[in-house]
Amino acid sequence: MILRRFLLLLPLLCLTPASANAAAVVTTPQVRAELVAHAPEGIGAGRTVWLGLLIQHQPEWHTYWRNPGDSGLPIRLEWRLPAGVQAGEIQWPTPKRLPIGPLLNYGFEGTTLLPVPLRIDSAFSGLTLEVKLRGDWLVCRIECIPESGEFTLNVPTQSPTLSHATQFAQSFAAQPSTVPGATAKAKVEDDALVLRVSGLPKSLQGKTLTAFPETAGVIEHAAPMRQQWQRGEWEGRMPLSPQRSASPSLVPAVLVAGQQSVRVEAQMTGPWPTLAEAAPTFDASTTVPEQAPLSTPTTTFGLALLFAFIGGALLNLMPCVFPVLSLKLLGFARHADERRYLALGGAAYTLGVLLSFIALAALLLALRAAGEQLGWGFQLQEPGFVAALAVLFTLIGLNLAGVFELRTLVPSNAAGWQSRHPVVDSFLTGVLAVAIASPCTAPFMGAALGFAISLPATQALTIFAVLGLGMAAPYLLVSLVPALARALPRPGPWLLRFKILMAFPMFATVIWLLWVLGQQVGIDGVAALLLLLLTVALALWIWASPLVAGRTRLWLGALSLLLLAVVLGWSLPLLKPAPSGSAQAAVAGGWEAWSAQRVADYQAQGRPVFVDFTAAWCVTCQYNKRTTLADAAVLNAFKEKKVALLRADWTSRDPAITTALTQLGRSGVPVYALYPGSPGAAPSLLSELPSVKEVTAAVAPL
């Protein structure tokens, strides 16, 4: 899916969008928002000019109505206008019902225009009307992202402005109408808000209506509404919310049937019950406090390059890189006496690492620009990629262990390809090193990569290239410096034993990949992959082992290929990724599953929060989990300060975690965030390999 989107995106990467008035347009991966005007009679005293925020949502994304429903926040517009110009209220189009699990929200998808009237009086003068707007909106799919934009638009006063007349006409047509003579009353009966409306148009009489109450925090939106018609009067019963936070004297609502909608204002005819003493909910007038900026050292481009190089070099010390490094060491041993091959091999390995880092980073940046919520190491969030790596490392391990020989499996002129082309072999080893090492985050890497994601593509790719250069530098140095090359062991009989020994790191990597896959697809997926690996090994042994030959190889080989096809067909459906968010199940051992709301709840209670952003495919994360984070001194420090422990598991793709990491200035794991026990307080970040001393020192001042 990701690769297909990337290929579709390639033609667009060569295009640069242009706008006649760039300040009037704000584009994010989720929406395109534009400030537009409609002045059919021009601008002058006593006239009304229409402005509007035109929002084009990406597929599956939505923003919210004046009453967002059970969750969400309404769109807010803050105008800065010249003297003599006043802005009215948003003329809201009729929203859509947006069910999300057990919740029901109200909002907009596709293309939506929110028109606002501007009233011009005699105090205004000028050849152009300069309008400035700050818009704030919450855009959601499964995850939610708060966004904002600053807009500036200059509207000429001497001539009509009609460029967006069609969109304004469609928006006006989508607004609910008022019905002269219609009357509406409301009262509370048996824990339900009862709305009675008479005088509705004949086109609505007898039809089933959908009600959109304009006041938030009153009813249980997802609960079914009971309705009936009696002698031309419509009655709707909407259960009150147990968390009700409003008691309006006037209950405005929009009633909809098909494409027709009307707006009514019902007068309350009885008292409201006492408000429940519960956690407050957001209503349409709630102001969301801005989160304090993250307290981290200022990162410059030069500093990010330095961090990237150091982090790349340290990446060679991460456990996930060891299996691939064993292949590189084997290559060094094979060609210890061949200076030319060592130099060319080191350069080819470096080139393979550099190009792979750049290609992977370019794919990541392109997919993020297309709206995907991804971070560094995203390829190991795909079960299919994990399974393919497990098969590849199994093949490498079996070959190193001598289970099969390549020369018996392919024609003789191709069997010696590796020995005749060690430079290409070194290049491919560099590619494999990046594929398996990229999910790890070494010290210094986190800040560099988080900073790179926020930069233009050219600068971001430069940082990733320097990261690759740092990773390849030790091997390039050994291959180019004669003194270091002479220290390498010379080929001999020991090399065969060393080759077989190197098979075991490959098999250890397969075990790790199986565990990662189990976190993503469950035990059935692991069993399917194990059976697939078994049949692959059997087929290779039959076709490539010198112990099987002649007609025996032919009929056993045919049988093994048939068996492999059957197992492959059975296994693939079991390797589908689990639904998004399933990794956030309950976590044992004193840890809870992370959510942004859970962090906010604990901070509101005055409790500090420690969040472990982790993933099963991150070996560094697992090492820290079993060492520092399991240390008795650390656990006692957490307990003494009553620190809530939350774990954000990023093993499978989770856009909410990706968004949280981006807000922390990071794009990969591990990340360790310690939040103070005060509402909205920004967290401090620990290092990627925190020591017991570092964690306890960070917790002590709480």
Side-chain angles (χ1 to χ4, degrees), residues 101 161 170 237 258 285 308 364 430 491 671:
T161 301
Q170 292 172 346
R237 289 178 171 266
S285 62
L364 171 63
V671 171

Side-chain angles (χ1 to χ4, degrees), residues 303-369:
L303 188 60
L305 291 176
L306 177 62
F307 282 178
F309 185 84
I310 297 174
L314 293 176
L315 193 58
N316 292 293
L317 302 178
M318 298 295 104
C320 55
V321 191
F322 289 167
V324 180
L325 299 189
S326 65
L327 294 179
K328 192 58 187 170
L329 292 175
L330 186 60
F332 276 145
R334 283 172 174 165
H335 302 287
D337 290 325
E338 303 174 70
R339 290 289 305 120
R340 178 173 172 271
Y341 278 135
L342 279 178
L344 290 176
Y349 176 80
T350 302
L351 183 63
V353 171
L354 283 176
L355 293 182
S356 299
F357 263 111
I358 292 173
L360 197 58
L363 178 60
L364 171 63
L365 295 175
L367 292 172
R368 285 175 67 94

Side-chain angles (χ1 to χ4, degrees), residues 469-641:
L469 184 61
M471 180 179 175
Y475 308 97
L476 183 62
L477 190 64
V478 170
S479 63
L480 295 179
V481 177
L484 295 176
R486 284 194 295 269
L488 295 174
R490 297 297 180 262
W494 66 272
L495 189 58
L496 178 60
R497 294 189 293 271
F498 182 71
K499 175 188 173 184
I500 297 175
L501 181 64
M502 289 301 99
F504 293 93
M506 303 301 140
F507 296 141
T509 303
V510 174
I511 294 173
W512 167 60
L513 290 169
L514 285 168
W515 180 72
V516 171
L517 188 71
Q519 306 295 312
Q520 297 172 331
V521 301
I523 190 63
D524 289 344
V526 173
L529 182 56
L530 281 171
L531 185 57
L532 179 61
L533 295 179
L534 178 64
T535 53
V536 167
L538 175 63
L540 283 173
W541 178 77
I542 292 174
W543 284 103
S545 173
L547 301 178
V548 184
R551 298 182 64 180
T552 302
R553 171 177 290 176
L554 290 178
W555 70 265
L556 280 180
L559 185 62
S560 69
L561 292 179
L562 177 62
L563 179 62
L564 179 60
V566 172
V567 171
L568 189 62
W570 175 75
S571 302
L572 290 181
L574 297 175
L575 299 178
K576 293 181 179 180
S580 178
S582 64
Q584 289 300 312
V587 183
W591 292 81
E592 301 178 47
W594 170 91
S595 72
Q597 185 60 50
R598 198 67 179 141
V599 174
D601 290 344
Y602 275 125
Q603 285 190 298
Q605 298 170 17
R607 288 187 63 182
V609 182
F610 181 83
V611 181
D612 171 17
F613 291 90
T614 184
W617 39 259
C618 170
V619 180
T620 307
C621 303
Q622 303 309 316
Y623 172 80
N624 292 336
K625 186 185 300 184
R626 287 161 176 75
T627 54
T628 300
L629 297 185
D631 188 270
V634 170
L635 296 177
N636 288 335
F638 286 147
K639 184 177 181 180
E640 180 181 348
K641 297 294 183 177

Side-chain angles (χ1 to χ4, degrees), residues 2 5 28-30 61 139 141-145 147 364 366-376 378 381-382 453 580 650 652-663 667:
I2 289 179
R5 293 190 183 184
T28 73
Q30 293 75 35
W61 292 88
V139 58
R141 185 171 55 181
I142 297 174
E143 71 281 13
C144 290
I145 303 173
E147 295 181 343
L364 171 63
L367 292 172
R368 285 175 67 94
E372 294 285 350
Q373 295 296 308
L374 300 174
W376 190 241
F378 68 94
Q381 293 176 327
E382 296 292 335
I453 293 298
S580 178
W650 207 34
S652 298
R653 280 201 289 159
D654 191 322
I657 295 178
T658 306
T659 300
L661 289 171
T662 301
Q663 293 171 347
S667 64

Side-chain angles (χ1 to χ4, degrees), residues 26 57 86 169 217 225 241 258 274 279 312 336 343 443 446 463 539 566 605 610-611 637:
V26 171
H57 303 81
Q86 292 185 344
M225 178 181 66
S241 170
T274 303
I463 291 178
V566 172
Q605 298 170 17
F610 181 83
V611 181

Side-chain angles (χ1 to χ4, degrees), residues 361-416:
L363 178 60
L364 171 63
L365 295 175
L367 292 172
R368 285 175 67 94
E372 294 285 350
Q373 295 296 308
L374 300 174
W376 190 241
F378 68 94
Q379 70 274 17
L380 281 186
Q381 293 176 327
E382 296 292 335
F385 186 84
V386 174
L389 275 184
V391 173
L392 176 61
F393 276 93
T394 299
L395 295 178
I396 295 173
L398 293 174
N399 178 254
L400 292 174
V403 173
F404 72 93
E405 294 294 337
L406 192 62
R407 63 176 178 270
T408 61
L409 189 63
V410 298
S412 57
N413 60 342

